[in-house]
Amino acid sequence: MEQEDVDSGVWVFHGAGGRFASGVFTTRDKAEAWIHQHDLTGVLTRYPMDQGVYDWAQEKQLFQPTKPEHTEAAFIQRFTSGSQEHYHYDPNDIG
């Protein structure tokens, strides 16, 4: 697996059932080593650095507001994008 440019983002692991992130890593390799070391279940997602996902998605032309509520704080603070690179982990998954 290639080492990605640290400046391109960080990897955030959200453990199953957790309310908050349980780990933040500079590379996917480091994150996966930790996930596998502890047999964790959850989602690993790459987040942009120094930019919110809402702004990132607009910059990449992955999302454009189409309704007035799309520009309100309540929407922006909950915004996530399926276009972010992400991986699901479950040590009990046989597939």
Side-chain angles (χ1 to χ4, degrees):
M1 185 178 308
E2 286 183 27
Q3 290 287 348
E4 57 273 352
D5 182 359
V6 172
D7 292 335
S8 66
V10 295
W11 291 92
V12 178
F13 182 76
H14 290 271
R19 288 186 65 188
F20 301 100
S22 54
V24 179
F25 303 88
T26 54
T27 68
R28 182 177 166 199
D29 287 342
K30 289 178 182 178
E32 287 185 331
W34 183 73
I35 291 165
H36 294 304
Q37 174 188 352
H38 297 290
D39 293 326
L40 303 177
T41 299
V43 179
L44 181 66
T45 305
R46 181 185 282 198
Y47 282 85
M49 291 288 291
D50 299 325
Q51 183 178 36
V53 175
Y54 177 84
D55 298 321
W56 172 85
Q58 287 187 63
E59 179 183 291
K60 301 289 185 187
Q61 298 181 349
L62 301 168
F63 170 79
Q64 293 302 318
T66 58
K67 301 175 183 176
E69 58 266 25
H70 288 173
T71 61
E72 295 174 0
F75 181 85
I76 295 168
Q77 68 193 20
R78 291 187 316 264
F79 185 87
T80 61
S81 173
S83 296
Q84 288 171 262
E85 190 174 355
H86 63 279
Y87 300 91
H88 298 260
Y89 298 88
D90 184 347
N92 298 315
D93 187 5
I94 299 170

